[in-house]
Amino acid sequence: MITAQLVRDRVRKQPFVPLRIVTSSGQTYDVYHPDMIYIGRSDLHVGIPLPDDPTIYERDARIAILHITALEDLPPRKKRDGNGRHRK
């Protein structure tokens, strides 16, 4: 069972590993920066980041912890160069 403490521990893990939140409806939310998630007792607020800056959110989603079915590791995002292209 997913709890607020489990999510908090996962987000605080050092080094931070990006994660995917999977819900009972099948919706997923990818978190690439620990500042993009706000944890409450019964729900989370996840920032949906701007395309060019993963630390600033464009909008947010509220997710009931009761409906979270999994927390999955994601590979880190590739960094972009000054022209918006991915670096290797």
Side-chain angles (χ1 to χ4, degrees):
M1 181 170 133
I2 306 293
T3 64
Q5 291 78 16
L6 180 71
V7 176
R8 182 191 61 213
D9 292 346
R10 175 65 178 73
V11 171
R12 289 183 178 173
K13 182 179 174 183
Q14 291 295 320
F16 176 75
V17 176
L19 69 136
R20 174 170 288 148
I21 299 168
V22 182
T23 68
S24 58
S25 69
Q27 182 71 40
T28 61
Y29 301 89
D30 293 351
V31 180
Y32 285 96
H33 194 280
D35 290 346
M36 298 303 282
I37 188 167
Y38 190 64
I39 304 164
R41 184 181 351 175
S42 61
D43 62 8
L44 308 175
H45 286 264
V46 176
I48 311 301
L50 293 169
D52 59 344
D53 189 342
T55 64
I56 298 175
Y57 73 90
E58 181 171 44
R59 58 188 174 86
D60 73 324
R62 183 176 174 198
I63 308 164
I65 291 175
L66 179 66
H67 290 287
I68 298 174
T69 59
L71 301 174
E72 302 173 348
D73 288 350
L74 290 174
R77 275 191 173 167
K78 293 179 181 176
K79 295 188 179 191
R80 296 176 185 255
D81 66 16
N83 295 321
R85 290 175 272 181
H86 290 287
R87 289 188 215 164
K88 292 185 177 184

